[in-house]
Amino acid sequence: MKKISFYASNFLVVMLLVASTIVTGQTKLPNIVILATGGTIAGAGASATGSAYTSGQVKIDAMIDAVPNIRQLANLKGEQVANVGSQDMSVKVWLDVANRINTLLASKDVDGIVITHGTDTQEETAYFLNLVVKSDKPVVLTGSMRPSTALSAEGPLNLYNAVAVAASPKSKGYGVMVAMNDEIHSAHSVKKMMTTPVQTFQSPEEGMIGSVVFGEVDFFHKPHGLHTTSSEFSIDGVKSLPRVDILYACADSSPDLVDLMVKAGAKGIVIAGVGDGNMNAGTLEAVKKATKAGVAVVRASRVPLGAVLIKGEIVDADYGTVSADELNPQKARILLMLSLLKDRSREDLQRVFIEY
Ligand code: ASP
């Protein structure tokens, strides 16, 4: 009898502990802030089966409420930073978002950030943040290819999974990530590969860095390139970035486009070259003139995969240019804009493109 009451009292204590954990459990969840910027994930259309829709229609609180069980993953706070299709993303929003993230992550009360974002320029925002966020806490971008009103809209599950990645203790130190379609990609390597299919984000060169399936997070390898806490770039006190334009090369492309960009005020030009960062003879001459005048010119490629050789058909040192290594033109533009915040030699600029 005595023994039974001993077990009974122990059982009572355990039950009280379990109950108190359930009651107070919320406070033990990680604190995640969701910064919403718009995109198709916040888009709406008139028909669930029609393809026409408008990005950036739904507000963040409604988006969170549409995801079952998401509040079981983390304590969530949503902030509406913008509500645009990401074709309208701007340097100003990048700076605002990056400053906000640095402020939030400096607080011990914030464990990670999720950013909802259109997919068109998501890789650009991710790469920009990867270079200027000063924290090893997780920063995860997500979006969707189908608007919230579509049949089988994948936004809610993508948001659920992005919060799971941001809330996971496993996710520290991977830099800025993109979590979509059950995959986790690094900001450095992720590319939008398709116009509308849900598997649009891929990292064809280095591969995805992890997976997230119904909230189960797994990492396979570290991202390529320097980022976040090991990045030399800072936007402290920065109000704008130097103008950098992209010139898309093709057969018989017009060399005077280089001069036009310089005249318009470009401090840097990224050539989306043919093949191994090549361009026709007239454009190459115009580029040489531009670099002599102090404009930074980086050779990337319009070809989806492969690095641009420093000594290939074009030898960069002969023209004052720099190879983008394996960065695509849109990411090379971001790295060049940040690099041009201070004076650099051509050699130092080349180092930057190899390291980041
Ligand atoms: N145009 C949209 C955007 O980038 C496309 C999308 O989100 O999938 O905002």
Side-chain angles (χ1 to χ4, degrees), residues 38-41 53 55 84-87 117-122 143-146 192 195:
T40 299
I41 192 168
Y53 71 97
S55 279
V84 294
S86 71
Q87 54 271 45
H117 196 293
T119 60
D120 288 352
T121 61
Q122 187 165 147
S144 75
M145 300 304 287
R146 299 180 186 136
K192 185 170 186 178
T195 51

Side-chain angles (χ1 to χ4, degrees), residues 116-138:
T116 57
H117 196 293
T119 60
D120 288 352
T121 61
Q122 187 165 147
E123 69 195 64
E124 293 174 53
T125 301
Y127 188 62
F128 176 75
L129 296 174
N130 204 40
L131 297 173
V132 300
V133 164
K134 301 288 170 202
S135 171
D136 65 355
K137 294 178 189 174

Side-chain angles (χ1 to χ4, degrees), residues 96-172:
D96 288 349
V97 169
N99 283 320
R100 184 71 188 129
I101 291 173
N102 280 332
T103 304
L104 287 166
L105 292 185
S107 160
K108 63 172 178 26
D109 298 329
V110 179
D111 300 298
I113 303 284
V114 168
I115 303 163
T116 57
H117 196 293
T119 60
D120 288 352
T121 61
Q122 187 165 147
E123 69 195 64
E124 293 174 53
T125 301
Y127 188 62
F128 176 75
L129 296 174
N130 204 40
L131 297 173
V132 300
V133 164
K134 301 288 170 202
S135 171
D136 65 355
K137 294 178 189 174
V139 176
V140 186
L141 284 91
T142 195
S144 75
M145 300 304 287
R146 299 180 186 136
S148 65
T149 45
L151 189 62
S152 291
E154 87 282 25
L157 184 53
N158 284 344
L159 185 55
Y160 182 87
N161 280 336
V163 169
V165 175
S168 170
K170 294 180 189 168
S171 305
K172 261 195 168 187

Side-chain angles (χ1 to χ4, degrees), residues 188-265:
H188 173 276
S189 301
V190 69
K191 293 175 174 173
K192 185 170 186 178
M193 299 291 287
M194 297 173 178
T195 51
T196 59
V198 295
Q199 68 274 27
T200 188
F201 282 119
Q202 297 168 29
S203 301
E205 276 133 334
E206 284 94 16
M208 59 183 179
I209 58 169
S211 67
V212 50
V213 181
F214 291 111
E216 282 302 316
V217 179
D218 203 2
F219 281 99
F220 311 145
H221 60 85
K222 292 276 177 193
H224 182 86
L226 299 177
H227 59 79
T228 55
T229 49
S230 51
S231 167
E232 69 200 69
F233 299 102
S234 163
I235 51 154
D236 262 3
V238 171
K239 296 275 172 276
S240 63
L241 295 178
R243 174 169 168 166
V244 173
D245 291 325
I246 298 176
L247 193 157
Y248 196 94
C250 59
D252 210 19
S253 55
S254 312
D256 60 1
L257 289 176
V258 175
D259 303 331
L260 290 173
M261 288 175 175
V262 174
K263 270 197 202 115

